[in-house]
Amino acid sequence: MSNFNVPKREEVSAGNQAIFDNLEKAVGFVPNLYATYAHSEHALGNYLALSNANTSLKAKEKEAVNLAVSEVNNCIYCLSAHTAIGKMNGFTDGQIIELREGRASFDTKLDALARLAKNITENRGATDQSVLENFFKAGWTKENLIDTIVLVGDKTISNYLHRTTKVPVDFPVAQPLDAVEA
């Protein structure tokens, strides 16, 4: 249980209230983790700008990275949110489990991406050369590499925010890997 409150619309700045209104229209609600960013005058807007910035990665590719990174960082909030988003993007439950493990036996290119995201996160950027070579052999470009590293950073920010604040998860809760693999 968290001692960190999730601010309500009336408790945040006018700028953040406008962002809350936009999230409400776009998503149907303001996710607790996004609301938590609004304790800062600027963090929510800055985070959403980073998260929604143009990238060479497609939506499914981004989810592959988000799931692998969130698993390494053990962030139940982000695992839960990205499991739901992954399903909306067409991944099956089994594929989501594999992506959380940092692999994708069902797609060679996604496998190289998930392995890279996991390796970057586990090694704090000191990527294994073999993982990087495999990424490029699978058809990814230097642009994709840079965009993947930015996405790893983006997701790590949210992982750390939740791991610190422990605000309630407002998505169907993802089960630990050892519970779903048993």
Side-chain angles (χ1 to χ4, degrees):
M1 190 88 196
S2 172
N3 290 329
F4 213 89
N5 74 304
V6 177
K8 296 180 181 5
R9 185 183 184 283
E10 61 275 5
E11 298 171 327
V12 302
S13 69
N16 281 328
Q17 286 179 2
I19 295 171
F20 276 32
D21 294 344
N22 289 336
L23 285 167
E24 189 76 43
K25 287 177 196 158
V27 183
F29 72 108
V30 178
N32 285 342
L33 196 61
Y34 284 175
T36 303
Y37 278 100
H39 280 290
S40 163
E41 174 73 26
H42 305 286
L44 179 58
N46 290 342
Y47 179 75
L48 290 173
L50 173 63
S51 187
N52 295 320
N54 290 334
T55 179
S56 62
L57 301 176
K58 295 177 178 82
K60 282 183 97 164
E61 296 163 350
K62 288 176 67 172
E63 289 315 308
V65 172
N66 289 335
L67 287 161
V69 171
S70 296
E71 184 65 40
V72 170
N73 288 330
N74 195 27
C75 179
I76 191 61
Y77 189 98
C78 294
L79 284 170
S80 299
H82 291 289
T83 292
I85 296 167
K87 287 179 183 180
M88 289 189 299
N89 278 284
F91 287 122
T92 67
D93 288 336
Q95 290 170 335
I96 288 169
I97 295 303
E98 284 193 33
L99 292 169
R100 287 176 59 187
E101 293 172 336
R103 62 187 185 88
S105 66
F106 55 92
D107 184 302
T108 305
K109 198 167 179 183
L110 274 181
D111 185 66
L113 178 64
R115 289 179 188 279
L116 177 75
K118 178 180 180 179
N119 190 265
I120 288 171
T121 308
E122 287 177 332
N123 296 314
R124 297 182 183 171
T127 310
D128 291 345
Q129 191 61 36
S130 62
V131 172
L132 191 56
E133 288 170 8
N134 185 54
F135 177 78
F136 289 127
K137 276 190 212 163
W140 296 102
T141 66
K142 290 178 182 175
E143 178 184 21
N144 300 141
L145 173 65
I146 302 307
D147 287 343
T148 299
I149 293 168
V150 169
L151 183 54
V152 168
D154 162 347
K155 192 45 45 199
T156 299
I157 293 167
S158 281
N159 294 166
Y160 286 9
L161 182 65
H162 186 261
R163 295 288 316 265
T164 298
T165 64
K166 297 177 178 60
V167 296
V169 177
D170 48 359
F171 291 89
V173 177
Q175 296 302 306
L177 282 181
D178 57 357
V180 292
E181 292 180 317

